[in-house]
Amino acid sequence: METFWFCVIALLWLGYLFLEGFDFGVGMLLPVLGRDETERRVLINTIGPVWDGNEVWLLVAGGATFAAFPGWYASLFSSAYLPLVLFLLALIGRGVAFEYRGKVDGARWRRTWDVVIFAGSWVAALGVGLVLTTNVFGLPLDAAGDRVGSPFAAITWESLLGALAVAGYALVHGAVFLSLKTEGEVRERARALALRLAPIALLPLVVLLLLVQIRFGTVWTYAASIAVALAAFGALARLALRREGQAFALMGVAVACTVVALFGALYPNVLPSTLDPAYTLTVENTASSPYTLTVMTWVAAFGTPAVLVYQGWTYWVFRKRIGTRHIPRVHVP
């Protein structure tokens, strides 16, 4: 059961990185691709019906970690407290900005909230990459699972590389998503930007995966890392041929293989100790009781299909492309 729930948590992070990744990317690209108020409204409308639902995956991932592996949850959230707080504040800022941006009909008001969306998207993407990478490379934990040393122990060159990797992926993923969801000039600019940015933006992810495999990898996690590169290359090739749907799906394959490579290299550990390997937290020494895990499994068996059906229905309802012609004149300055 411990291994099963470790895989479930990895799957939840996969869902979060794939779904929240593209709406981080949209926010990061808001001032780049949105040249006027109408175009910025188009960009926001592509994620307007779904961004809050995407964050459910983060909440469930955190809740599942708390319930299934309380020792892992306690050590990670307390030891990487500062990056996590910045990450959560960025998410809060984005959410408020999406809701408040249209409450006042004023250019200055909208510009202010656009800055919050832009900054919050960047900080959140960097923050989630930093925390996940810290989880893979470890923290200086003592025998009690407490961090030894500075509150900035989570900020290392490896974790900063991970922050750039996730932010770079989100940037390209968001551009591919916009090329899929928009029409006209915005679509063309998004497609061209994705093709230009990808070789540079995805480089930190390639370096991160290589580093992880050199230190912790096995044969099948090496294979997953190679699959990431192949999927990303395939996505760009399909995007160049204007097959945006296929490119978006391949970006999903890329992030799925990334999660397999990272969590596969981590297992059976859940949080390594860089102070002493004997203090490393594992699926065995941090898991809840078998009874708790069994109850969680039954709850998940009934709750997960309902969430997936609802979220899938939402994406189906709002599946069509959006263009400037769909923006009501009331929103045009």
Side-chain angles (χ1 to χ4, degrees), residues 212-224:
V212 169
Q213 299 317 309
I214 290 173
R215 293 194 185 180
F216 315 113
T218 60
V219 172
W220 64 280
T221 58
Y222 267 105

Side-chain angles (χ1 to χ4, degrees), residues 35-98:
R35 296 183 176 177
D36 56 35
E37 170 58 21
T38 305
E39 292 185 348
R40 286 190 289 273
R41 188 66 196 178
V42 168
L43 299 184
I44 292 172
N45 281 4
T46 62
I47 60 173
V50 298
W51 69 266
D52 49 354
N54 294 343
E55 292 188 354
V56 169
W57 291 80
L58 174 67
L59 298 176
V60 178
T65 305
F66 172 77
F69 301 99
W72 180 11
Y73 179 94
S75 292
L76 177 62
F77 278 62
S78 60
S79 300
Y81 185 77
L82 290 179
L84 279 167
V85 167
L86 289 175
F87 167 53
L88 294 175
L89 288 175
L91 290 181
I92 292 170
R94 290 176 78 248
V96 172
F98 286 134

